[in-house]
Amino acid sequence: MSSNPPPPNVVVLGGGFGGLAAANRLRRLLPPAHAITVIDSAARFHVGAGKPWIMLGEKTRDEISAPRERLLEPGVEFLETEIRQLDLPGRRVETAAGPRAWEYLVIALGAELRPEAVPGLAAAQTFYTVAGAEKLRPALAGFTAGELALVIPKTPYKCPAAPWEAAMLLHQHFAGRGLAAAVRLSVYTVEGAPMATAGPEMGAFIRAELAARGIGFFPQKAVARVDDSGRRVEFADGSSVRCDLLICVPPHEAPAVVRAAQLTGPSGWIPADPQTLEIKSATGAGRVYAIGDVAGVALPGRYKPDVALSLPKAGTIAEAQGEVVARRIADQIAGRPPSATFGGQGFCYLETGGGTALRGDGSFFALPHPVMSKQTPSAQQFADKLAWVAAHLAPRR
């Protein structure tokens, strides 16, 4: 007597914005018999937008985070363990807790930060991790005069607004301590303009905001190496700069487990269909998806004919992609043609200091180039950001 196979299950790798959104939407769409599992090596989810607040001593890690299990709908299993191998042909994930089989797989593993990719850069401080922001906090508190350099050595990086927001918040921090004249802030970036994918208008706005605060802006400065003390940065063009405190946006890479599975393309990220987020190279059409920072999505439009653009890596985009993938999987399981597609929309908040922020709304699939609209910075938009952060930490169980 043969038994019926279990109903198709879904495994979500990564419990960030995209993974949480996909799992929660799937749980609401699928009958309880369909198992949904989220696997992540860390128990807590941190809202990345709060890391500059930790850096400045305004928030603690507990205030910008919550247990992942509490953020998942009842009926979603959370497995805290290391992901060791992706076996796509065998439809299995190897973890430290043993193998997990899947019928549908959502890869939402984000990006790994690798300061060691630039010689000497590991000596720099960073706010791009919670631990880094906590380490940076006393360094800032004890910094009273000198050159502070913020370097962006490689693109892409998650939350493209974050370095520029951080520069403005650092200026406010030192001005509030009466040190605006004593501390000289500068940003050195490999990019040609701030938030280049958002367009020249946004870039010009940020440059003007930096200039108004006396923050130096140095574009197209690729970091070649940092000396052992972290006090001198050498650039690929042969120039160098001395600094008394160095903060970096570490180079980002696809996670090692993704690279080992040979899922990455020429961009270094998983090539995903822009609208469906399906991994075309994966075994089993319509069964494997990549969302969020780990995915590489080429944009159809360009500002310059010879400069290709890719979708920014941002939590709001990952969340929207997770919703789309969940609906497509639910349709397939139900025997319906999947219809949900990702339209390339996303937004971000940029704090400008003084309790103000602006929200930028991007249409990244627009032609002939992406379009981002923004409003004048205001206290209301800062309040909206605070509410957005709080909403993503609200428990579901």
Side-chain angles (χ1 to χ4, degrees):
M1 183 176 179
S2 62
S3 58
N4 293 325
N9 72 315
V10 184
V11 170
V12 180
L13 304 181
F17 284 103
L20 292 172
N24 286 334
R25 178 60 62 186
L26 278 163
R27 185 70 290 161
R28 294 193 292 270
L29 291 173
L30 292 176
H34 295 276
I36 301 167
T37 303
V38 174
I39 305 177
D40 199 290
S41 61
R44 295 185 73 87
F45 166 73
H46 298 88
V47 177
K51 291 171 188 173
W53 301 336
I54 294 179
M55 168 185 79
L56 297 169
E58 297 172 358
K59 298 282 187 182
T60 66
R61 69 163 60 206
D62 288 343
E63 290 175 304
I64 68 153
S65 70
R68 282 191 164 91
E69 191 166 25
R70 292 184 60 195
L71 300 178
L72 291 167
E73 294 280 353
V76 176
E77 177 192 17
F78 175 63
L79 181 61
E80 180 190 349
T81 189
E82 176 191 2
I83 299 166
R84 293 180 172 175
Q85 185 180 13
L86 306 182
D87 179 6
L88 297 191
R91 294 189 185 175
R92 188 171 65 174
V93 177
E94 299 291 345
T95 79
R100 283 294 176 115
W102 51 267
E103 287 295 321
Y104 293 88
L105 182 68
V106 181
I107 303 175
L109 288 171
E112 287 183 353
L113 306 186
R114 297 194 63 247
E116 65 274 13
V118 175
L121 191 64
Q125 300 269 4
T126 189
F127 60 90
Y128 256 68
T129 66
V130 171
E134 290 175 330
K135 180 183 176 184
L136 179 53
R137 182 172 58 211
L140 291 174
F143 195 72
T144 57
E147 302 286 342
L148 192 160
L150 172 58
V151 297
I152 306 170
K154 184 179 178 182
T155 61
Y157 53 88
K158 56 187 174 181
C159 193
W164 316 106
E165 174 180 275
M168 288 185 265
L169 294 180
L170 284 167
H171 174 269
Q172 175 185 271
H173 170 79
F174 289 114
R177 294 167 54 194
L179 301 173
V183 175
R184 292 171 295 280
L185 279 163
S186 298
V187 182
Y188 299 86
T189 179
V190 69
E191 303 158 288
M195 294 182 65
T197 306
E201 182 180 343
M202 179 62 81
F205 169 80
I206 292 174
R207 288 197 302 271
E209 292 292 310
L210 297 177
R213 293 162 174 79
I215 300 172
F217 171 63
F218 299 90
Q220 297 180 322
K221 302 294 284 187
V223 178
R225 67 178 299 275
V226 176
D227 73 5
D228 293 340
S229 69
R231 295 294 185 91
R232 180 168 292 278
V233 181
E234 298 177 9
F235 300 101
D237 62 8
S239 65
S240 64
V241 64
R242 187 194 68 81
C243 59
D244 300 292
L245 180 59
L246 178 63
I247 303 173
C248 77
V249 175
H252 289 36
E253 282 190 0
V257 70
V258 169
R259 289 182 274 122
Q262 299 183 334
L263 290 178
T264 55
S267 71
W269 307 95
I270 302 177
D273 184 277
Q275 294 183 313
T276 69
L277 289 313
E278 184 181 339
I279 302 176
K280 294 299 186 182
S281 62
T283 302
R287 292 185 179 270
V288 185
Y289 299 84
I291 61 174
D293 296 348
V294 76
V297 176
L299 299 185
R302 302 184 179 193
Y303 297 102
K304 298 179 180 179
D306 58 337
V307 180
L309 299 173
S310 60
L311 189 68
K313 298 187 182 300
T316 60
I317 287 175
E319 188 172 26
Q321 292 174 334
E323 292 277 350
V324 167
V325 165
R327 293 183 184 279
R328 294 188 69 84
I329 292 173
D331 280 344
Q332 290 176 88
I333 289 175
R336 299 184 298 262
S339 59
T341 57
F342 175 61
Q345 281 80 32
F347 67 90
C348 68
Y349 289 100
L350 173 68
E351 284 184 60
T352 49
T356 64
L358 67 84
R359 171 172 159 155
D361 288 270
S363 296
F364 294 103
F365 291 173
L367 292 172
H369 53 69
V371 175
M372 175 165 275
S373 61
K374 64 174 179 61
Q375 302 177 41
T376 301
S378 69
Q380 180 57 57
Q381 290 174 90
F382 178 62
D384 291 344
K385 176 179 179 176
L386 295 178
W388 178 82
V389 170
H392 285 83
L393 298 176
R396 293 174 180 264
R397 62 167 85 176

